[in-house]
Amino acid sequence: MSVMTSAAVPPRIALVGNPNCGKTALFNALTGSRQKVANYPGVTVERKIGHFVSPLGRRVQVIDLPGTYSLRARSPDEEVTRDVVLGRFAHEESPDLLVCVADATNLRLNLRLVVELKRLGLPIILALNMMDAAEKRGCRIDAAALSAALGVPVVPTVAIRRGGVQPLLDQIDGAVALAAAADAAESPAPCCSPCGSPNGWSEPSSRELRAYHQEVEGLLARCVTDAGLPPVATRRVDAVLLHPVFGLAFLFLVLFLMFQAVFAWAEAPMNLIDGAVSGLKDWVAATLPDGALRSLLTDGIIAGVGSVVIFLPQILVLFFFILVLEATGYLARAAFLLDRLMGGVGLHGRAFIPLLSSFACAVPGVMAARTIENRADRLATIMIAPLMTCSARLPVYTLLIAAFVPDRPVLGGLVGLPGLVMFALYAAGILSALAVAFVLKGTVFKGAREPLLMELPAYRLPNPRDIALGLFERARIFLARAGTTIFALMIVMWFLASVPGAPEGASEPAIQYSIAGMIGHALEPLLAPIGFTWQIAVALVPGIAAREVAVGVLGTIYALSDSGDALQSSLAGALAASWGLPTALSLLAWYVFAPQCIATLTVVKRETNGWFWPAVMFAYMIALAYGASFVTYRVASALL
Amino acid sequence: MSGQSFPETGQRPGGRHLGELRKGQRARVTGVDETAVVTSLPEGELERRMIEMGLVEGSHVEVLHEAFPGRDPIAIRVNEHTLALRRAEARAVLVAPAA
C-alpha cells in the first residue's frame, strides 16, 4: 500500500541545517545535476529542488532549504525555511521527512537546531556531515548513543566524498517507508488539512532556548567521548587575514585580482560571442528579404539579446570568485573586516557582497542583498547598488574616452590619462553611493544598525563540483532572463525605434522619424541645458532598455554600418568631430548616475514587492544624473 | 529553572561584559542582559539571538581578533565555533574572568 502512495506522490524530504554545515554539498551529492532552481510564490527566495532514486528504487524529491540557526526567522531566506518546515505555504504540506544536516566539527551549535526541530514531531534523520574532518581533529562521536539519546536515526556523511552519502540513502529508504505507513494508518480518510503538521509551533522564548542548550549539553556529555582539537589552522590563517593591517591589505588585493580577472579572463569569450552574434546577424540579413521582419530579427532581437548575452562571461567570472570565496569561508571575513568602515555610512558589513556583485551587474547585486536581515539595511543597500559601475557602462565609457581623452601619460608616466579618467568614473560611482547611503540612513532608514552576529566558519577547500553546479545555475538564470524579459523589451524598443518608417526620399537615418526619434526631439529642450544634442537624446530612449544599447543607436544615427570594435573606433572619430568636450564630459557624468536599465528596476520591484522603491530609485538617480551633468557641463564650458 | 534570565540585571558593580574584553582575554558567560544595549530589534530579540548563537550561561569565550578601526567588531571563539559581533552589542553578554 505504501508503495502505491509513493508511486503517486514521490515522498518529499527537506534538508535543514545551519549555514556552512555543508548542506548544499550534501544536496549536490544526493541529486547531482537533477536539480532546478525556481522562486517561492510571493517571495523571491530561490527554491532549490532536486530528486534522486533511492537504493530501493523509490523516487524521492529533495528540497534544499536556506541555512538557519533557528526556526525564528530573521531574514526572508530564513522565513522560507520556517514556512516550508511548518507547511505554511499554500498547496504545500510539511515535508515527509526532515534531514537535519549538522557539521560534526561544530556539534554544539548545530545540535541546538536539531533539538528545536525535534519538537515539531516530524520524522527526522540527523546527518552528521563532515565526519572526516571531525575525525581528523580527533573528535569521537558515538553516533549510536546520540541516536538513542535523541530518538532519531543518526548517520555519518561525507558529502564531498564519493559514496559518502550511502548510509544516508539507506536510512532515507527506511524512514520514508515508515512515514508513509504511519500516514496511511493515521489517516484512512483523505486528509485536506496537513496531516501531522506542526501547527502548534510558536516562537520559543529565551527560557525555552536556554532549555534547548541544556539539552544539547546533556547530549554532548553522553555522546562525544573526545571533543578533539580546535581548528588551529583556521586560527593561524585568521591571525593574518583578520589582521587590522595585513587583513585589509589582503582583502584589497583579492578585490583587485577579481576585477582584473573579470576584464582579462572574460575578454576572449566575449569576443567569441560578439563574433557569433554578428555572424548570425549577417546570415539572417543575407537569407531574409529586406523588410520589417529582417530588421526586427537583426537590429531588434539578435542585436538586442546579443548585447546582453555578451556579459555572460563577465558575470560567470565574477560569480566564480564569489562562489569560491564563499565556499572557503572568506566572504564572512570580508564582511567582518569592512563592517566598521561601511558602518561609517550606516551600512551593514554584509552589504559588501551585494555591492561587490554590482560591479558586474546590479541585477545579481540586488538579489544578493537578501542575506541582509534588517529591512532598512537591505533597502539602503539595494538603493545604492546601481551606482556601482556595472559592466554595461563600460562600452559607453570606452567609447567616450577613446573619442575625447588624449592618450598621454600622467603622474610621470605611471598611468595613462584614459586609465585615470576610467578610475575617476569608478570612484565617482563608489563615492556617490556612499554619500547616498549616508543620506538615506540619516533620514528615511533612520535607526540603529542591525546587530552583527555572524559565524566565521572554519576555512575549507572549495569542492569543484559545488562551484561548477553553482556557476551552471547562475548561467541558466541569466540566460533565461535574457530569453524572456530582455527579449520582450528588445522587441518593444525596436518597435519604438522603427515605427513609423522613414518617408520616401528621406535623407536622415530612419530612427529620426520613429517614435523614439520623436521622443528624443521632444526631450531635446529639456536636455539642452546639460549640453546634450538631439542625437544623444534619441540614443537615450532605447538606451533605457540597457545602457550599452546607446552605443549602437549612436552608430545608427551617425549612419555608420560597422559593428563591434570597428564601430567603436569609427564612431569615436565621428563623435570627436561633432561634439564639444563639455558635452562628452556631461554625458560621462550622466552615465555615472542614470538609472538606464529596465532589468535592474524590474528586479528591484520583485525584491521589494512593489513599484514604490523602483520609482524612488528612478527618480533619485535621474535627479542626480541631471544635476551632475548640469554642473559638469557648466563648469567645463566655463573653463575650457 | 535554569532558563530564568538573571534577576540582578543592569551593570552590577564589578561585573564585566564581553564588549570590554581585549584581544587574547578569556572569560565565561554568566548571563545575557540586553537592557544596556541600544538596538533596532524588538524587546527580547537580541537576547534570543545571542543564545541561539551559543552565547549562553556557561559558554567559554575568548577574543581572537579585533577589526580596524577602533578594535571593532571583534571575533570571538565561543566553545568550538567563532563568532563576529560588534562591541556595542557584546555589552549584552555578561562575563566573569575564566578561572
Side-chain angles (χ1 to χ4, degrees), chain B residues 15-45:
Chain B
R16 287 170 69 83
H17 56 74
L18 183 56
E20 60 189 345
L21 294 192
R22 301 302 288 266
K23 187 171 166 176
Q25 286 187 309
R26 296 166 187 230
R28 192 173 46 81
V29 177
T30 55
V32 183
D33 172 26
E34 61 167 56
T35 48
V37 179
V38 180
T39 152
S40 57
L41 303 175
E43 197 188 325
E45 177 63 23

Side-chain angles (χ1 to χ4, degrees), chain A residues 96 138 153 239 256 265 338 358 381-382 393 415 501 509 519 533 548-549 580 584 617 622:
Chain A
D96 299 304
F256 177 78
W265 298 1
L338 291 174
S358 299
T381 308
I382 289 176
R393 286 179 176 96
V415 281
I519 299 174
T533 61
E548 66 279 13
V549 175
M617 175 183 276
I622 279 279

Side-chain angles (χ1 to χ4, degrees), chain A residues 69-74 105-109 112 116 137 203-207 209-211 213-214 217 220 227 230-231 234-235 238-240 242-245 248 333 335-337 339-341 347-349 373-374 447-457, chain B residues 1-6 23-24 26 30-33 37-41 44-60 62-87 89:
Chain A
Y69 291 100
S70 123
L71 278 184
R72 302 181 326 102
R74 314 174 202 163
T105 63
N106 187 8
L107 210 49
R108 184 175 268 108
L109 197 61
R112 214 207 60 77
E116 188 176 339
R137 276 196 213 160
E203 283 205 0
S205 65
S206 61
R207 175 195 294 250
L209 291 174
R210 283 187 169 92
H213 262 286
Q214 294 292 326
E217 292 299 333
L220 291 175
T234 291
R235 216 173 138 166
D238 269 344
V240 179
L242 294 186
H243 188 274
V245 179
L248 278 175
R333 266 89 181 171
F336 170 79
L337 285 169
D339 185 72
R340 186 64 186 265
L341 293 173
L347 287 173
H348 197 279
E373 294 151 6
N374 178 278
R449 279 198 297 166
E450 176 87 356
L452 176 82
L453 261 181
M454 182 177 60
E455 196 185 349
L456 300 178
Chain B
M1 267 250 319
S2 65
Q4 190 56 263
S5 59
F6 278 43
K23 187 171 166 176
R26 296 166 187 230
T30 55
V32 183
D33 172 26
V37 179
V38 180
T39 152
S40 57
L41 303 175
E45 177 63 23
L46 184 65
E47 180 187 3
R48 290 196 278 179
R49 286 195 192 178
M50 291 285 189
I51 298 172
E52 280 165 358
M53 298 307 292
L55 288 167
V56 64
E57 290 80 5
S59 292
H60 295 275
E62 176 186 356
V63 179
L64 297 180
H65 311 284
E66 294 167 328
F68 173 85
R71 301 174 181 276
D72 191 29
I74 50 176
I76 55 167
R77 185 180 56 76
V78 185
N79 298 321
E80 287 92 36
H81 65 278
T82 309
L83 201 62
L85 76 169
R86 301 195 191 111
R87 287 192 185 272
E89 283 112 32

Side-chain angles (χ1 to χ4, degrees), chain A residues 91-93 187 189-195:
Chain A
H91 316 297
E92 196 172 311
E93 291 178 7
S187 50
C191 81
C192 339
S193 69
C195 321

Side-chain angles (χ1 to χ4, degrees), chain A residues 537-602:
Chain A
V538 172
L540 289 181
V541 176
I544 287 173
R547 294 177 172 93
E548 66 279 13
V549 175
V551 173
V553 176
L554 282 174
T556 317
I557 298 173
Y558 284 98
L560 298 164
S561 51
D562 301 314
S563 71
D565 289 343
L567 170 70
Q568 292 256 352
S569 52
S570 59
L571 183 56
L575 294 186
S578 55
W579 295 354
L581 183 57
T583 293
L585 292 177
S586 171
L587 186 58
L588 281 176
W590 174 271
Y591 261 88
V592 171
F593 300 105
Q596 282 173 298
C597 178
I598 291 184
T600 303
L601 293 171
T602 47

Side-chain angles (χ1 to χ4, degrees), chain A residues 250-407:
Chain A
F250 181 79
L251 175 62
F252 288 115
L253 182 72
V254 168
L255 294 186
F256 177 78
L257 286 178
M258 188 164 138
F259 279 114
Q260 194 61 33
V262 163
F263 295 113
W265 298 1
E267 200 183 333
M270 286 175 85
N271 287 338
L272 273 180
I273 295 177
D274 193 34
V277 167
S278 28
L280 185 64
K281 243 166 89 172
D282 292 346
W283 179 79
V284 172
T287 318
L288 287 179
D290 198 7
L293 179 65
R294 186 173 95 176
S295 165
L296 171 63
L297 278 177
T298 55
D299 300 335
I301 295 172
I302 299 177
V305 173
S307 70
V308 177
V309 170
I310 197 160
F311 291 105
L312 181 64
Q314 286 191 337
I315 289 184
L316 288 186
V317 172
L318 183 85
F319 270 109
F320 171 77
F321 272 86
I322 290 179
L323 286 169
V324 168
L325 291 180
E326 188 168 29
T328 53
Y330 186 70
L331 271 193
R333 266 89 181 171
F336 170 79
L337 285 169
L338 291 174
D339 185 72
R340 186 64 186 265
L341 293 173
M342 312 242 323
V345 293
L347 287 173
H348 197 279
R350 284 207 180 134
F352 164 70
I353 297 155
L355 295 182
L356 186 65
S357 312
S358 299
F359 280 105
C361 176
V363 171
V366 167
M367 287 164 64
R370 283 174 197 157
T371 53
I372 302 171
E373 294 151 6
N374 178 278
R375 184 171 160 82
D377 286 353
R378 185 161 165 252
L379 278 174
T381 308
I382 289 176
M383 295 307 275
I384 64 167
L387 287 176
M388 300 291 139
T389 301
C390 68
S391 50
R393 286 179 176 96
L394 273 181
V396 182
Y397 286 178
T398 315
L399 172 72
L400 293 179
I401 287 175
F404 291 96
V405 180
D407 190 1

Side-chain angles (χ1 to χ4, degrees), chain A residues 477-494:
Chain A
I477 291 170
F478 179 79
L479 289 178
R481 199 190 317 277
T484 52
T485 316
I486 295 175
F487 179 81
L489 282 173
M490 289 303 166
I491 294 179
V492 171
M493 283 300 161
W494 172 85

